Amino acid sequence: MYWEKEIETMDRSRLEQMQLARLSETLERAKRSVYYRKRFAELGLDPGRIRTLADVANLPLTNKDDLREQWPYGFLTVSRDEIVRMHSSSGTTGRATVIYHTANDLAAWTNLLARCMYMAGMRRSDVFQNMMTYGLFTGGLGFHYGAEKLGALVIPAGSGNSKRQIQLMQDFETTVVHIIPSYALHLSTVFAEIGVDPRRDTKLRIAFLGAEPHSEKMRQKIEELYGFRAFNSYGLSEMNGPGVAFECAEQKGMHIWEDNYIVEIIDPVTLKPVPDGEEGELVMTTLLREGMPILRYRTKDLTRIIPGPCPCGRTHRRIERIKGRTDDMMILKGVNIFPIQIEKKLMEIPGVGTNFVIVLDRAGFNDQMTVKVEVKKDFFGGDLKQLEALRRQIVEELKSDILITPRVDLLEPDSLPKSEGKAQRVIDNRED
Ligand code: ADP
Ligand code: ZN
């Protein structure tokens, strides 16, 4: 049931002692980087004086712009000879950042992924098809090495080429997949198109859904379409990549590995910590990274700590599924809206298909939201009354949640542009 029972179930006081010891080592290492040496000097901070975990709040926050400005080597704490790999973020919100790993860093990260996959129920006997982009993106190689370490048979399928993915699943009797949730929905339409039923004609039993926000409803929809259990997988390249937080068999929140990271939730405006249970921005400090330790990294991801122990026996705290990034928030007529709220409502409505996009326009002083929604194939049969009823239902359901009235356009199945990577959910045509 556990990959590393002692660490996964370690009592909190021992776990915190371990964190403090690792934090001291991390701070010693951080001093060797150009960036933190300068930052500590500016703040008159002597990291040797850190005595308790609460002192973490006195350390400087690090954000994506700091990483960008120090590009390419300002965060390195070892000589380049010791670096064996680099990765880079997807660059969803601007210039990509680069992260460097020593051999030990890779070994620790690989182990975390094996721990995650084992926790969700994957075993040596499984056939694992990794449908993420290989290359600079961490979802490919990260999971790949983790699955090999676990001992499964790994199919490094990479992303895209849907028909071939399905062929691989059938030929090699894939049991576990790693897939982006929006792509999983799209792939289900390809299954239907070629007349293969994923529930009946494959051996799929587990999926890891990662890389983008998705609601509980979306998870359930994907589980129903495929007949497997889907586990939420969270990570970001600055903190290695996947393997940071992952769901256990309970599927109620993601354990965030506190032997590898110090976890804080802060108010993104005041930057002060919020109490357990309250929503805020996730901030993380690496505890084992040698080549490029990062202190108090502002992930921009909004979540909360789920208070209380998990029935699975692991003592590492859990975070709620990510609501979105602070910069995903749309402000319309003074109302704050996250794309995931729209997604959640859409997934509850039976006639809705597998893709949607939100378009924001400005007409005079008025902001207008248009939600373009693909409709299920059997709904698009031609009965206009039925379609109009569906359209009205979507408008009403969305309005009840987001409090403004969106325009809703219904589209044919598969008519929106598809993405093999992270879905782009919002197109903002308003000028600043
Ligand atoms: P980029 O920041 O350029 O997108 P990454 O590939 O490092 O590059 O992406 C990490 C980000 O992806 C996270 O900060 C988060 O916003 C999002 N993300 C990853 N996994 C999940 C998940 N399971 N749920 C919600 N968001 C996720
Ligand atoms: Zn658990």
Side-chain angles (χ1 to χ4, degrees), residues 8-301:
E8 291 172 52
T9 62
M10 187 175 272
D11 73 64
R12 295 282 320 167
S13 64
R14 273 190 62 211
L15 184 56
E16 284 167 15
Q17 268 169 26
M18 180 192 244
Q19 285 187 307
L20 188 58
R22 289 182 174 180
L23 177 65
S24 304
E25 289 164 22
T26 297
L27 292 173
E28 277 311 310
R29 277 199 294 269
K31 276 199 291 197
R32 289 180 221 142
S33 73
V34 173
Y35 175 72
Y36 284 117
R37 197 180 322 128
K38 191 168 127 257
R39 219 39 213 283
F40 291 164
E42 278 166 8
L43 295 167
L45 201 125
D46 175 6
R49 301 252 301 272
I50 293 277
R51 293 275 174 270
T52 70
L53 280 179
D55 292 336
V56 168
N58 303 323
L59 295 171
L61 289 159
T62 307
N63 59 45
K64 224 184 177 90
D65 283 339
D66 298 323
L67 293 176
R68 286 185 182 131
E69 278 159 26
Q70 294 298 317
W71 192 86
Y73 298 123
F75 273 80
L76 269 199
T77 56
V78 296
S79 95
R80 272 174 55 193
D81 292 355
E82 289 183 56
I83 298 298
V84 297
R85 173 119 51 95
M86 62 166 276
H87 272 289
S88 159
S89 69
S90 342
T92 313
T93 57
R95 184 179 180 172
T97 49
V98 182
I99 303 295
Y100 299 97
H101 300 275
T102 64
N104 285 338
D105 290 340
L106 288 184
W109 177 28
T110 297
N111 185 59
L112 275 189
L113 275 156
R115 191 195 284 176
C116 290
M117 289 187 258
Y118 196 88
M119 172 168 73
M122 180 163 138
R123 294 295 179 266
R124 289 173 59 89
S125 49
D126 277 303
V127 179
F128 173 67
Q129 188 165 329
N130 192 8
M131 301 165 71
M132 291 279 170
T133 309
Y134 277 64
L136 289 171
F137 178 59
T138 53
L141 289 175
F143 262 87
H144 181 98
Y145 284 105
E148 281 187 358
K149 176 157 177 125
L150 191 147
L153 166 59
V154 181
I155 308 178
S159 64
N161 205 340
S162 303
K163 287 183 182 148
R164 189 172 143 79
Q165 297 281 5
I166 296 171
Q167 192 67 51
L168 285 169
M169 284 177 199
Q170 292 193 287
D171 288 350
F172 302 101
E173 307 196 319
T174 302
T175 52
V176 182
V177 288
H178 176 208
I179 189 166
I180 295 185
S182 54
Y183 183 66
L185 283 184
H186 165 64
L187 188 68
S188 74
T189 66
V190 181
F191 266 103
E193 200 182 293
I194 61 177
V196 179
D197 177 353
R199 302 182 65 104
R200 193 192 55 211
D201 306 328
T202 73
K203 294 251 166 27
L204 296 175
R205 63 183 202 94
I206 291 177
F208 306 129
L209 302 182
E212 65 184 14
H214 55 290
S215 61
E216 179 60 36
K217 279 282 159 205
M218 177 126 163
R219 182 238 296 273
Q220 285 166 8
K221 181 160 179 164
I222 295 171
E223 285 186 330
E224 269 158 38
L225 284 166
Y226 286 88
F228 53 40
R229 285 185 78 194
F231 295 87
N232 196 356
S233 154
Y234 169 77
L236 63 164
S237 50
E238 292 81 359
M239 293 288 119
N240 291 346
V244 171
F246 215 88
E247 277 181 336
C248 65
E250 303 290 326
Q251 291 180 306
K252 290 201 182 81
M254 297 178 279
H255 289 284
I256 188 155
W257 297 121
E258 296 184 85
D259 57 325
N260 275 252
Y261 306 99
I262 290 180
V263 180
E264 299 169 84
I265 307 279
I266 65 167
D267 178 320
V269 180
T270 66
L271 308 183
K272 296 265 181 294
V274 304
D276 270 14
E278 260 174 48
E279 185 182 284
E281 179 179 344
L282 178 66
V283 167
M284 302 183 72
T285 299
T286 62
L287 289 177
L288 282 183
R289 265 226 311 251
E290 292 180 339
M292 193 171 165
I294 301 183
L295 309 178
R296 304 193 73 209
Y297 185 67
R298 290 189 62 180
T299 65
K300 295 200 170 171
D301 291 323

